[in-house]
Amino acid sequence: MIPPLARRFVAGETEATALEHARQLNQRNVGAILNLLGEHYHARPPADRDADIYCQLVEDIGNTDLNACVSVKPSQLGLDAETGVFRANLERIVETATAQGVFVWIDMEDHTTTDVTLDAFETLAREHEGGVGVCVQANLERTPTDLELLATVPGKVRLVKGAYDPPADIGFADSQRVNEAYRSCLETMFESFEDGVAVGSHDPAMIDYAADLHEEYGTDYEIQMLMGVREDAQTDLARERAVWQYVPYGGKWLSYFYRRVRERKENALFAARALLSG
Ligand code: FAD
């Protein structure tokens, strides 16, 4: 069972608890991006199993009136086993999801996976006319070039700062440089994207900048944040524009929870307080 202090960041261990969380989010006018925790499977069976779960999940979402979609990780669908396994699993999830009118996001993992992830996205986005989205990372040098291609592909693109540290010759770690790159990528996206922009950030400066760019170009956009991070801001922002919360769930919650706790002092203090009071 998930202890109460982890429940801030993870919506339970089962599809039922994740869907219930989505229902509560929708009451705050926030959409839910459900993510079954799991990554780096080196053999086919666990990748196929998680793909089966996603297929069932998108059917379940399709049978409700929930404002919910899913986000999948390439290495969860078998990329570390074989590219073909990843592509086959992704394809059947996207086929099932689009038949149900449910959107599928593809998360971006480390820089070694960028090409194969973008290739799979492009193929499926063209086949399914926009039922798929992909994440790109502002901390990679290549991203402005990738955005030029992505502007010509149907489907949405989520811009994030990047959760993986790339080698110095292909990316950057300095936060000021990443912020500059993020702003510049946002400018490109608002200027040239027709299918909408997803701002995947908790940073008030980036969210304000996106609002300015929307004023200037009129491009549709949505804001995406993680479960448990700036929840009040999510509710406030949702009064004016589309806000989606990325909602991890599943049995593999422990390492995800530790990552959230380690990345910010506030989260560590929250965990310490919860431990002391419990
Ligand atoms: P940061 O640079 O971490 O913080 C900037 C400012 O935001 C802070 O100064 C503060 O004002 C505010 N802030 C940030 N966190 C908090 C907090 N906990 N509490 C209060 N204020 C806070 N990365 C990938 O590499 N691949 C992915 O597929 C991917 N998908 C993502 C999907 C979503 C929906 C989100 C939100 C992030 C995703 N990420 C992904 C992670 C992303 O790359 C960043 O590592 C992460 O979002 C932190 O960057 P940030 O833009 O939120 O701001």
Side-chain angles (χ1 to χ4, degrees):
M1 218 182 76
I2 302 188
L5 83 161
R7 273 191 230 137
R8 169 173 162 184
F9 300 106
V10 180
E13 290 185 284
T14 65
E15 285 64 46
T17 55
L19 290 168
E20 176 51 31
H21 182 79
R23 193 174 310 283
Q24 288 170 17
L25 276 181
N26 286 181
Q27 282 164 8
R28 290 158 50 193
N29 209 23
V30 174
I33 306 171
L34 303 184
N35 169 256
L36 171 64
L37 290 164
E39 58 193 332
H40 296 302
Y41 298 142
H42 293 280
R44 182 160 196 159
D48 288 352
R49 187 204 53 218
D50 279 14
D52 291 345
I53 294 172
Y54 272 120
C55 287
Q56 185 59 54
L57 180 62
V58 294
E59 298 238 4
D60 292 346
I61 294 171
N63 289 328
T64 66
D65 56 0
L66 288 175
N67 190 24
C69 61
V70 297
S71 201
V72 301
K73 284 202 174 359
S75 75
Q76 174 177 32
L77 301 184
L79 183 59
D80 293 352
E82 203 191 304
T83 303
V85 175
F86 156 57
R87 289 192 71 129
N89 277 328
L90 181 63
E91 195 174 326
R92 70 193 173 94
I93 294 167
V94 171
E95 267 167 17
T96 314
T98 45
Q100 296 288 338
V102 176
F103 195 86
V104 177
W105 282 100
I106 310 170
D107 287 350
M108 186 60 79
E109 299 181 276
D110 73 55
H111 70 281
T112 63
T113 68
T114 312
D115 280 329
V116 71
T117 304
L118 292 180
D119 278 357
F121 164 72
E122 187 182 350
T123 307
L124 288 168
R126 289 196 193 283
E127 270 171 24
H128 294 276
E129 277 300 313
V132 200
V134 74
C135 179
V136 294
Q137 297 152 329
N139 66 348
L140 292 185
E141 297 267 10
R142 61 176 288 165
T143 297
T145 311
D146 289 335
L147 288 175
E148 280 173 30
L149 168 73
L150 290 169
T152 67
V153 179
K156 290 197 256 182
V157 177
R158 171 203 302 152
L159 179 67
V160 297
K161 290 187 185 178
Y164 305 83
D165 292 331
D169 57 331
I170 59 158
F172 19 86
D174 173 64
S175 63
Q176 203 177 327
R177 181 117 189 256
V178 175
N179 287 343
E180 276 165 22
Y182 195 97
R183 286 170 185 274
S184 167
C185 290
L186 273 186
E187 286 160 16
T188 305
M189 292 168 80
F190 275 87
E191 213 173 336
S192 57
F193 276 39
E194 284 173 8
D195 289 332
V197 172
V199 180
S201 178
H202 310 105
D203 190 339
M206 300 308 147
I207 290 164
D208 287 350
Y209 194 49
D212 293 347
L213 291 167
H214 172 69
E215 281 286 301
E216 191 175 344
Y217 296 105
T219 313
D220 270 351
Y221 76 107
E222 64 191 53
I223 295 165
Q224 299 186 357
M225 294 194 196
L226 302 180
M227 180 178 175
V229 179
R230 302 196 67 214
E231 291 267 355
D232 290 347
Q234 295 180 27
T235 309
D236 289 347
L237 288 162
R239 293 194 182 98
E240 288 187 16
R241 60 194 75 260
V243 176
W244 289 79
Q245 182 180 99
Y246 187 101
V247 180
Y249 78 95
K252 299 191 176 71
W253 56 268
L254 192 59
S255 55
Y256 178 81
F257 169 62
Y258 278 136
R259 216 183 305 157
R260 292 280 81 79
V261 167
R262 275 201 319 264
E263 81 190 351
R264 278 187 80 81
K265 200 170 60 189
E266 293 89 332
N267 294 346
L269 285 174
F270 159 80
R273 266 200 307 270
L275 277 174
L276 288 172
S277 65

